[in-house]
Amino acid sequence: MRRAVRFILDGRERSVSDLDPTTTVLQWLRGSEGRFGTKEGCAEGDCGACTVVLGELRSGEVRLRAVNACLLLLPALDGKALFTVESLARKGVLHPVQRALVECHGSQCGFCTPGFVMSIFAFYESEREAPTRRRIDEVLSGNLCRCTGYRPIVEAVRAAYLLGRREGEDARGALAKALRGLSGEEELDLSYGGKRYLAPRSLDALASFLEDHPGAHVVAGATDLGLLLTKEHRDLELVVSVGSVPELCAIRETESHLEIGAAVTYTDALEPLAALEPTLGELVRRIGSTQIRNVATVCGNLANASPVGDMAPALLALEASVVLRRGKRRRELPLSSFFQGYRRTAREPGELLEQVRIPRAAAHRLFRVYKVSKRFDQDISSVCGAFAVEVDGGRIRAARVAFGGMAAVPLRALSAEAALVGRPLGEGAALAAAAALTAELSPLSDMRASAGYRRLVAGNLLRRFVHEAAGSPGQSRVLAEGSA
Ligand SMILES: Cc1cc2nc3c(=O)[nH]c(=O)nc-3n(C[C@H](O)[C@H](O)[C@H](O)COP(=O)(O)OP(=O)(O)OC[C@H]3O[C@@H](n4cnc5c(N)ncnc54)[C@H](O)[C@@H]3O)c2cc1C
Ligand code: FES
Ligand code: FES
């Protein structure tokens, strides 16, 4: 049992124990450490002013990723290295990324600048090839700047690659050694001021702890749970993390399924999901921002049962299932039975969502998922539609149509499915199903979209799917498929 969080900051090992374990990294940096370079803008993962970089060992190599410090709980630093904007300049010599931002006039007020520096730093230190414009947009998708405009910042990313690396730049060997020094078998168990945070290191220990403490808050990436702290100012007395359990960090590819463990982030799941279904990869690239995807999990997206969660419709159309575990007992449920009401699931007290299982392509399965939101990046869906059909001899043999943003829960549109089945794959089927959909769904009007807009978009997405699945001529996308 370890009673302190241990991590590396500026090359030195740090150990923090006497602190509320639900303190965020941002609160700690600014409140306890006086490191004011990292800013607080929104405290909800949207603006990127709080971006810091985490280093961790993966297969023996140091991997760097940008994250939002405002939502990250301090214990999540355990075993990792933390870089803030103060970590970069050495003896007054700026990091190439900082120099490039200065030289390209990439900053005016400076509130957002530390966040930009850190997002670009993580990227520059991880990818050696000069980036494409699309890649730069992805890297900057979680950072807002209201005054400079993005052109000089985009130019600075390109310029950093031309500046050359600093002398003695590669300190990875020393960092890897320091990180190896932190690894151990003891589980982290922090208690302070009536609050407790536990990070079991085995699945059995985690499941048994949850069975004994059904009121504990499970935490994965904390991109949702963190809002309870920063926005609702709630006291979370008992928090148990899935992040230190190796089995839950794994993605398994079996002959029949892709299995994604509870601690797998979107960033790690992206490639296997894109390999399974290319538009699933396009969807994941548009969830939140780079910083969010680097910590948020696929299973967290299902466990929170948000009516506008993006993974749910896609996984409903793919007939995925979830594995729930309480103590030693496991049960597997189709995702369609998992969502039970507004933010309510079939998960019982003391149960853990252990993994999601996605069936591999059935023969003749055609699948697409489309996200419609006001912005391309870093935006919640107004409507997310996912469609799968199996076609035999030109006729639709089976159909699954699922939506997010159209009801209190992500759901399958059964009458639209029935309208598709048996019809030839073409415009007639699309129109019949779109009409059924209009009668079946009664979405809400809210600040994202009106009910009328949502209904219209849902029908049009269905028509677009049939159009694309049938290979009809004519353009259905602004960007070529696979480039989004
Ligand atoms: C800025 C921002 C942008 C976002 N953009 C999008 C978006 O574009 N699309 C989208 O769908 N969502 C989006 N989200 C919502 C959210 O981040 C995601 O749904 C995310 O996948 C949640 O995963 P997490 O690991 O962070 O979950 P956490 O916050 O750790 O947990 C979420 C909830 O699920 C529970 N939980 C987590 N894991 C388990 C488990 N294994 N067993 C039981 N319960 C569990 C937690 O107790 C908590 O109630 C965004 C969030 C933010 C802050
Ligand atoms: S303060 Fe805005 S993303 Fe963290
Ligand atoms: S320079 Fe970024 S918000 Fe002003």
Side-chain angles (χ1 to χ4, degrees), residues 44-47 68 71 210 216-228 242 248 262-264 266 286-289 292 295-306 308-312 324 347 351-355 371 378-381:
E44 58 185 36
D46 271 322
C47 73
N68 296 121
L71 294 178
L210 255 185
H217 291 272
V218 179
V219 68
T223 60
D224 193 42
L225 191 88
L227 301 178
L228 299 182
V242 297
L248 298 183
V264 175
Y266 292 117
R286 289 188 53 204
I287 292 183
S289 60
I292 292 290
V295 291
T297 59
V298 174
C299 287
N301 194 253
L302 302 176
N304 75 14
S306 161
V308 287
D310 284 323
M311 291 310 293
L324 298 166
R347 189 170 77 86
E351 245 180 350
L352 171 77
L353 198 172
E354 187 181 304
Q355 58 168 273
K371 168 168 175 163
Q378 181 71 312
D379 205 0
I380 303 288
S381 293

Side-chain angles (χ1 to χ4, degrees), residues 106-113 116 144-149 153:
S107 157
Q108 286 180 44
C109 74
F111 193 81
C112 64
T113 306
F116 276 101
L144 278 184
C145 176
R146 302 249 181 240
C147 40
T148 299
I153 301 171

Side-chain angles (χ1 to χ4, degrees), residues 450-480:
S450 66
Y453 173 84
R454 286 193 159 108
R455 230 185 261 113
L456 185 66
V457 165
N460 286 349
L461 290 180
L462 204 159
R463 293 177 62 194
R464 175 187 182 182
F465 164 68
V466 172
H467 181 85
E468 288 185 355
S472 311
Q475 198 173 342
S476 59
R477 289 163 178 258
V478 176
L479 295 167

